[in-house]
Amino acid sequence: MMPGSIRLFVVDALHAGANFALSAAQAHYLGSVMRRSVGDALRLFNGRDGEFSARIERIRRGKATVIVEGLLRPQAPETDLWLAFTPLKRDATDLLVQKATELGVAALLPVMTERTNASRVNLERLAAIATEAAEQSERLSVPRLHPPAPLHALLADWPAERILFVALERSDSPAIRPASGPAGILIGPEGGFSPLDRTLIQNGHQCTQVSLGPRILRAETAAIVALALLQAPGYG
Ligand code: SAH
């Protein structure tokens, strides 16, 4: 059993003996929700220094400080997979961000296409969901969350050496296959890609169109399936 089932993401540097305050939300979670007290163990990670065991040093009225003990897992390279998705209805977007984080994505890139319905994205809310999913799934990092960008800008800024798989329904594109090396997947909105979007994608040098099978999947399902298949048969 790992020391302390509670696992929290922090921004502070982690090393044996480090000593710092948790956020007010984390202190509330530890004290009021989980009923933890002084001396109780927990685990911490920050995306840079690996995972450490720690103990609660003080906890009182929405404030908590911790003392970091030993290294449990050194920082290690993680899946190098990015997900570009168009904001959906709130619940669907939340689900997509949570599941994509569990499936190991390194970066989440909201993209605005012609048929994207949501006019804005609550980045703070999505960051909180991604952080919670990273804590729960024992990742050593939280995915990077980019500000929304229009499709043409996403494609223009996409790194040349990173293959971008584009999930296209109702096409005779080849089935999606496991990726080796840096890759990303682009999932369209509920209304599908418009003719203009498709032209941009066809002209995108890094783009490879792929199919996810004969059925029409909801965008959030398509994202989950694509992320699983890109990592099949083994998860690195
Ligand atoms: N309204 C569209 C479906 C959009 S599905 C229609 O009826 O045709 C939302 C997104 O999920 C699509 O843009 C695509 O990126 C992805 N998707 C869904 N099913 C897919 C499939 N079978 N193959 C590839 N991509 C798929």
Side-chain angles (χ1 to χ4, degrees):
M1 189 42 192
M2 282 293 208
S5 55
I6 294 178
R7 200 172 172 270
L8 297 177
F9 175 77
V10 295
V11 291
D12 308 74
L14 292 173
H15 53 86
N19 180 214
F20 51 83
L22 298 175
S23 73
Q26 289 172 330
H28 171 78
Y29 172 73
L30 276 182
S32 307
V33 182
M34 301 306 287
R35 303 263 161 220
R36 292 303 197 269
S37 45
V38 170
D40 283 349
L42 69 161
R43 288 181 282 157
L44 303 174
F45 68 109
N46 62 6
R48 311 185 301 275
D49 301 326
E51 181 180 84
F52 281 77
S53 60
R55 280 189 195 283
I56 299 174
E57 180 194 41
R58 267 191 312 228
I59 185 157
R60 199 158 64 94
R61 277 193 244 112
K63 288 193 179 152
T65 57
V66 290
I67 296 190
V68 179
E69 297 185 331
L71 178 69
L72 297 170
R73 276 199 293 165
Q75 195 69 33
E78 296 184 291
T79 310
D80 191 6
L81 207 46
W82 296 2
L83 171 66
F85 65 99
T86 90
L88 309 164
K89 291 199 188 91
R90 191 169 111 156
D91 289 353
T93 308
D94 290 358
L95 181 89
L96 181 151
V97 166
Q98 183 189 63
K99 300 310 168 204
T101 303
E102 290 174 38
L103 286 162
V105 289
L108 292 160
L109 300 97
V111 53
M112 299 300 183
T113 63
E114 271 208 315
R115 296 182 184 152
T116 298
N117 286 324
S119 54
R120 51 179 293 280
V121 212
N122 187 338
L123 287 178
E124 215 173 298
R125 177 187 171 79
L126 296 186
I129 290 170
T131 302
E132 197 177 306
E135 290 170 344
Q136 177 271 325
S137 62
E138 310 226 333
R139 286 178 58 145
L140 288 171
S141 67
V142 173
R144 228 175 32 254
L145 181 59
H146 290 242
L151 181 60
H152 67 83
L154 176 93
L155 296 175
D157 294 343
W158 194 268
E161 72 289 354
R162 180 176 292 273
I163 185 165
L164 175 55
F165 295 103
V166 181
L168 270 192
E169 70 284 5
R170 296 181 218 285
S171 74
D172 49 14
S173 308
I176 193 166
R177 297 249 306 275
S180 57
I185 176 82
L186 167 61
I187 305 291
E190 283 311 335
F193 292 110
S194 72
L196 178 64
D197 295 336
R198 285 179 186 245
T199 306
L200 289 172
I201 290 164
Q202 264 146 24
N203 295 333
H205 297 302
Q206 314 90 330
C207 295
T208 297
Q209 302 181 8
V210 290
S211 165
L212 299 174
R215 289 164 301 275
I216 303 302
L217 309 175
R218 283 187 179 273
E220 65 274 25
T221 316
I224 294 167
V225 167
L227 289 170
L229 291 176
L230 282 170
Q231 299 178 77
Y235 292 86

